Structure formats: structure tokens, C-alpha cells
Amino acid sequence: MEQNFSIKHWSEDDKPREKLMLKGKAALSDAELIAILIGSGNRNESAVDLSKRILAKVEHNLNALGKVSLQQLMEFKGIGEAKAVTIAAALELGRRRRAEDSIELSKITSSKAVFDLMQPIIGELIHEEFWVLYLNNSNKVIYKAQLSKGGITGTIVDVRILFKTALEHNATSVILTHNHPSGKLQASEADLAITKKLKFAGEQLDVKVLDHLIITENGYLSFQDEGIF
């Protein structure tokens, strides 16, 4: 009787679920976790085998899998709209969890601290976003906000909204951040121009612009560190 509860007596598609129940979630591979999400494979392969094939397509990189579109996921035999949406939703939850975890790093002591805080939020996006960190006298982040969202080519920054928000939150300084979906860590003429404009506006309102970071998936460029600020 007890033998019937052994993993080997379960179907291939049910084995990951049983393994999680018996050994805990940390014991499962990425493919097994995805297999639980999709529930079943197709006529020729189990959910685990299908998941392995999906992961192989993105070189076993979960960050890359999070960028795959629903249409691309549905190109795999056995992945319909519902399964594709389930995978996308699970990966988005993981991304948001990373973003929430990073909030604990509230005191900014270096440009690396800014990167650690913002990379989970904007580093992996396929479009450009401009965010502002609002700091108090102790260099602690008291508020952060997306100022603009644009296409791959750029964003539009509203100077009035930025400093209105700073005054509303009694911020004494701000740090500018935006991502480059292209992965290029190089400041454009537009990046330099908006930074100069915001620095000047901040000086008039006694709200100091401390730095501007360009963030990508794997790195960052700090205007302050590079002496181009």
C-alpha cells in the first residue's frame, strides 16, 4: 500500500509535484519547477522534458526566459495560451519579489547600491524607463518613482513633476536612473543634456542631483564615478 506513494509509481508529469511535497521546493531543478507550472507535456514528451527543451532555447537562463513573449512560448508543442500565460506570470512574480527584496537596501552609500536597488526593476526591461530616487539628509531612499516610460529609442522627462515630487516628500537630493535595453553603457547626448538641465533646476530649488546611472541587465554607468556628471 505504501509503495503506491513512491515517486516511481507516479506519472512523469506528476513526479515533480510529488518530489516537491517529499523533499521541498529547493530540491527541484528549474525544469521540474516549470513542469509543475505547465502540468503536462505533449504526446511525445513529459512536462519535464518539454520544460528542459524550453530552457535549452534560452541557454538555461531564467532572466532570458522572462523576456520571451507568449507567442514564442506557444511555438513549443504542448504549450498553449494558458500554459504560456502561467509561465510568464510566475517569472514576473519572481522579478517583483527580487524588486521588493532590494527595497531593504534603503541607504545609498555608492553607485553600486543604486544599481542593486534598481537593476531588478528596470535592468531587464525591453523598453526604456526613467526612475528617480528621492533621498533625505541621511542618504536614505524615502521614495522612488517612475518618471517616464518610452520605447527603445528614449523617454521624455518632465522636470516639473520630478521636483514637485521631491518637494512633496521633503527630499534633499535625488538620483536619476534609466535603463538602456540595448545593453550599451554609454551616455548619449540626450542623456547628458537632460542631466545638465535637471542639475541646474535642482540648484535653484536646493534639491541636489547626486548622480545619474544608466542601468543594463549586467552593469551600470555612473555619471559621478566617470567624472561626466
Side-chain angles (χ1 to χ4, degrees):
M1 187 73 174
E2 290 182 2
Q3 194 176 18
N4 291 332
F5 289 96
S6 171
I7 292 177
K8 68 182 180 181
H9 292 285
W10 286 60
S11 71
E12 288 298 317
D13 288 339
D14 287 332
K15 283 181 180 178
R17 288 192 289 271
E18 177 71 355
K19 184 176 178 181
L20 187 148
M21 292 168 65
L22 292 174
K23 298 184 178 182
K25 57 191 178 183
L28 275 68
S29 67
D30 291 346
E32 288 171 326
L33 290 170
I34 294 172
I36 291 175
L37 293 173
I38 64 177
S40 61
N42 56 48
R43 184 175 298 178
N44 300 316
E45 56 191 349
S46 68
V48 174
D49 290 334
L50 175 55
S51 299
K52 286 179 179 178
R53 195 154 58 85
I54 293 171
L55 284 169
K57 188 72 173 180
V58 293
E59 299 181 349
H60 301 276
N61 186 314
L62 291 177
N63 286 332
L65 183 58
K67 299 176 184 178
V68 173
S69 69
L70 296 179
Q71 288 72 25
Q72 289 172 312
L73 286 172
M74 290 166 61
E75 291 174 2
F76 290 91
K77 185 178 180 181
I79 300 295
E81 185 178 87
K83 290 181 180 180
V85 167
T86 298
I87 293 172
L91 290 165
E92 175 62 14
L93 279 173
R95 187 191 71 81
R96 293 184 186 187
R97 180 182 176 184
R98 287 177 56 206
E100 288 183 1
D101 287 345
S102 70
I103 292 174
E104 296 176 7
L105 183 64
S106 58
K107 185 168 184 177
I108 302 302
T109 56
S110 65
S111 56
K112 177 64 164 54
V114 178
F115 173 74
D116 289 339
L117 179 63
M118 294 303 299
Q119 192 280 337
I121 299 173
I122 62 175
E124 299 166 19
L125 299 178
I126 60 174
H127 59 268
E128 192 168 309
E129 292 187 3
F130 192 103
W131 283 66
V132 181
L133 301 181
Y134 297 88
L135 284 65
N136 63 15
N137 277 322
S138 301
N139 274 1
K140 287 188 176 181
V141 178
I142 52 178
Y143 187 67
K144 67 178 185 297
Q146 179 197 101
L147 198 63
S148 65
K149 176 179 178 179
I152 290 177
T153 55
T155 63
I156 300 173
V157 177
D158 191 317
V159 179
R160 294 169 298 177
I161 291 178
L162 190 159
F163 288 104
K164 178 177 181 288
T165 304
L167 295 174
E168 287 174 347
H169 290 272
N170 295 315
T172 58
S173 60
V174 298
I175 294 176
L176 317 173
T177 70
H178 77 280
N179 63 311
H180 275 184
S182 66
K184 290 181 63 176
L185 288 173
Q186 184 175 350
S188 66
E189 289 300 321
D191 295 337
L192 295 171
I194 191 61
T195 304
K196 184 177 180 180
K197 182 177 182 179
L198 293 173
K199 272 193 73 176
F200 178 77
E203 288 169 359
Q204 312 311 306
L205 297 169
D206 202 24
V207 178
K208 189 174 183 181
V209 177
L210 297 178
D211 201 352
H212 186 170
L213 270 73
I214 296 172
I215 294 174
T216 65
E217 182 174 352
N218 300 309
Y220 68 95
L221 172 74
S222 161
F223 285 32
Q224 183 67 48
D225 292 351
E226 296 296 320
I228 57 176
F229 189 65

